[in-house]
Amino acid sequence: MDKLSPITLAATGCTLIVTSVAVYKVFFSGSKDSSTASKEVVEEVEDTRPKLNIYFGSQTGTAEGLCRVVEREGKERGFNCEVIDLEDWEEDSHEEFIKNAKKAACNVFLMATYGEGEPTDNASQFIKLLKSETDDFEFPHTVFGLGNTQYEFYNAMGKLLDKKLSGEKLVPYGEGDDDKNLEEDFENWKDGVFWDGIGGLAGPSEESNAKPENANKVVWGKSAPTPTPNPSTKFYFDAKSSTITVNREILADTSKGANSTKHIEVTLPKGMKYNTADNAGILPHNPKALVNSLIAHLGFDGSATFSLSGSGEYKSIFPTPSTVHSTLTKYVDLLAPPRRSDLKLLAKYAPEGLSKDMLVRLSSKEGKQEYEDKILKSYVGIATLLTKKCTDIKLSFEDLINVAPRLQPRYYTISSSSSVHPKSLHMTVAVTKGVNSESGDKYVGVCSGHLAETSECDMFVKESSFKLPSDSTPIIMVGPGTGIAPMRALMQERVNRKAKGRNVLFFGCRKKNEDWLYREEMEEWVDKGNMELHLAFSREQKEKVYVQNVMENKGELIKDLVANQGAWVYVCGATRMGADVVKALKFVVGDAKVKDMQDKGELIQELWA
């Protein structure tokens, strides 16, 4: 009788949902050599190790990636671990999930907060259930929240979950701040609180240095049936190829060569529609030269075709059949600096020597500063790590797609009106540029760089929070820099509808002759009486002036529009700017009025860190 080890998940960033873990007994007749024996009976035996359910509410993959860390370490510490996407926890499956949670030794929730205190897309139905009158969320649990202190409602979802869950709280609530060092916050909680709190519940541990068995199996040269999408990476399956018809520079002065902002127009593929100021989700592509260098270094055949398969109720992490080259271009994040937990996993694939020692050191607490200097500040991605720094690590293609993180979509608020441009959408894209601090090499943002150079893109549409009030209601728009995108869309819509309500825009940039985006359009709206414009040029004078400063100076106008005429306020741009704008608004109309607007959906913000 041989005992086969449990199915084990692979890497941080892998998005496979495991629905069951089991141990199997296999009985053979004749020889005990499994290579020649014939199987007679396969009996599924219950895994008796304590159950650890690991749930994630994730928008960009960070919370899910940290769940994989807990899963790997939990298996090593003697737990039967199951990672669960909260998108699966809906009303029709609620009773089953509650039963599963009550049977577990511990249920750990890693909950990100999206935007201004909202749940992530995959956790929206779960949060709706949690807020309902039901009182059956009673099971052993703990919660770690993922947030950013630049947002007004910091870690709202983590705090809500910690408050609403009942049953034994095995470990105190923890939270991480992405504005500072979220991964360090998580590690301090995980190593200093979490494992100490539940360690006494653990069963027999696994070998910690063993490579995890790959959850996503590569089947070469075979065409599999259309795979069921994994909810976490459903965007790969929803995206459609779209043609870029306009791609023009809209900065008035690019002589310095550092900055670039593009106005991009995309033809909508058949069946795709959008509402004014929705979000365009763009799937970035890795640079061709980078993909080719990694393929050559690891000795892959870029044209080889494969399909993915897995165990249990398998859901594919990306569409297959696919080629090696296409997969490394579209689905594997080769550029983003890996987390320290990724480096710890990668070390398991390294032979004894300098590479292994370096990865172990960089992934340790003692190597934190070295990690920041050599990986984060140098912007070293997994492709550069493998081809230039740890050249003795020879991952198989299957290992690579299980270890490496997934490429995530980038969202751009659509800068056109769907009624004015029903067959196309517009985007306003600031192209990210920088220099590698270690090598001196220049780099460009993976998505903005791709959009700046390509003639087509993979795209889908996602609903945004921007909605217009009645045509008679005034609106106040605050959109400095590329935050002008949704305001341009709203203005096109309001002009097209001949809305009677006043339109007031606060726009800011560095210099009027350098980066005043869509200047001619704004001036035309003003000349025709469609819009009132208030400008802030931060570098035109000795003291910097921003949109929030101009708002305070126009306090009487804002107070009249908001308090007396019921104006809605829209804010788009960086989170720090958004916080300052809300502060200025509170100064003008009072805290109570701002709170009332937020509750009624009359203060709408889309901000990014």
Side-chain angles (χ1 to χ4, degrees), residues 481-501:
T482 54
I484 189 61
M487 314 312 171
R488 180 177 185 263
L490 296 180
M491 277 306 303
Q492 287 183 359
E493 185 72 19
R494 295 272 279 191
V495 171
N496 187 59
R497 284 159 49 168
K498 297 181 172 57
K500 300 299 182 183

Side-chain angles (χ1 to χ4, degrees), residues 339-355:
R339 291 190 287 264
R340 284 157 63 196
S341 54
D342 296 332
L343 300 183
K344 184 178 180 180
L345 175 64
L346 193 60
K348 296 183 178 184
Y349 294 85
E352 295 297 329
L354 293 177
S355 293

Side-chain angles (χ1 to χ4, degrees), residues 117-152:
E118 298 299 318
T120 58
D121 289 346
N122 78 311
S124 59
Q125 289 300 312
F126 168 76
I127 293 298
K128 184 178 179 180
L129 279 169
L130 188 73
K131 289 180 176 180
S132 66
E133 296 302 318
T134 181
D135 59 357
D136 57 354
F137 283 90
E138 184 175 355
F139 38 73
H141 68 274
T142 187
V143 179
F144 183 86
L146 292 80
N148 188 312
T149 47
Q150 290 189 36
Y151 289 93
E152 183 176 2

Side-chain angles (χ1 to χ4, degrees), residues 4 166 193 205 219 388 461 559 570:
L4 304 183
S166 56
V193 179
S205 61
V219 182
K388 294 184 178 181
V461 170
K559 188 173 183 179
Y570 301 83

Side-chain angles (χ1 to χ4, degrees), residues 225-442:
T226 302
T228 302
N230 186 318
S232 302
T233 52
K234 192 171 179 289
F235 45 79
Y236 289 143
F237 298 82
D238 293 340
K240 296 181 180 180
S241 180
S242 311
T243 301
I244 295 177
T245 57
V246 176
N247 190 335
R248 72 170 186 268
E249 181 63 55
I250 55 174
L251 288 185
D253 183 4
T254 58
S255 59
K256 298 180 179 63
N259 298 321
S260 173
T261 301
K262 297 283 191 174
H263 172 80
I264 295 175
E265 299 184 12
V266 181
T267 299
L268 289 176
K270 186 177 180 180
M272 185 176 291
K273 297 179 180 180
Y274 72 100
N275 293 315
T276 296
D278 271 352
N279 292 320
I282 305 297
L283 300 188
H285 287 189
N286 289 310
K288 187 175 181 179
L290 187 70
V291 173
N292 289 340
S293 68
L294 183 61
I295 287 175
H297 174 74
L298 294 176
F300 299 158
D301 177 0
S303 62
T305 300
F306 71 96
S307 294
L308 288 179
S309 66
S311 304
E313 297 178 14
Y314 179 73
K315 297 180 182 178
S316 183
I317 55 175
F318 52 77
T320 58
S322 178
T323 65
V324 168
H325 192 282
S326 179
T327 297
L328 296 182
T329 299
K330 296 181 180 181
Y331 308 129
V332 178
D333 195 337
L334 300 179
L335 281 169
R339 291 190 287 264
R340 284 157 63 196
S341 54
D342 296 332
L343 300 183
K344 184 178 180 180
L345 175 64
L346 193 60
K348 296 183 178 184
Y349 294 85
E352 295 297 329
L354 293 177
S355 293
K356 191 180 190 73
D357 293 343
M358 182 187 77
L359 291 171
V360 170
R361 187 174 67 254
L362 291 176
S363 62
S364 69
K365 287 185 177 181
E366 294 73 24
K368 175 191 166 189
Q369 189 58 53
E370 187 179 2
Y371 165 77
E372 291 182 359
D373 293 338
K374 291 186 175 180
I375 302 297
L376 287 185
K377 292 179 182 177
S378 299
Y379 214 77
V380 173
I382 195 168
T384 301
L385 196 65
L386 292 173
T387 58
K388 294 184 178 181
K389 293 184 176 294
C390 300
T391 56
D392 54 343
I393 299 178
K394 299 298 183 182
L395 293 175
S396 69
F397 179 68
E398 183 177 278
D399 287 337
L400 178 62
I401 63 172
N402 278 280
V403 169
R406 306 271 76 78
L407 260 177
Q408 297 293 322
R410 272 58 168 179
Y411 294 99
Y412 297 91
T413 310
I414 297 170
S415 55
S416 57
S417 159
S418 56
S419 58
V420 178
H421 299 281
K423 295 183 179 180
S424 67
L425 63 78
H426 302 177
M427 293 180 289
T428 308
V429 179
V431 182
T432 302
K433 296 183 179 181
V435 178
N436 185 307
S437 61
E438 187 176 77
S439 67
D441 296 337
K442 294 180 180 179

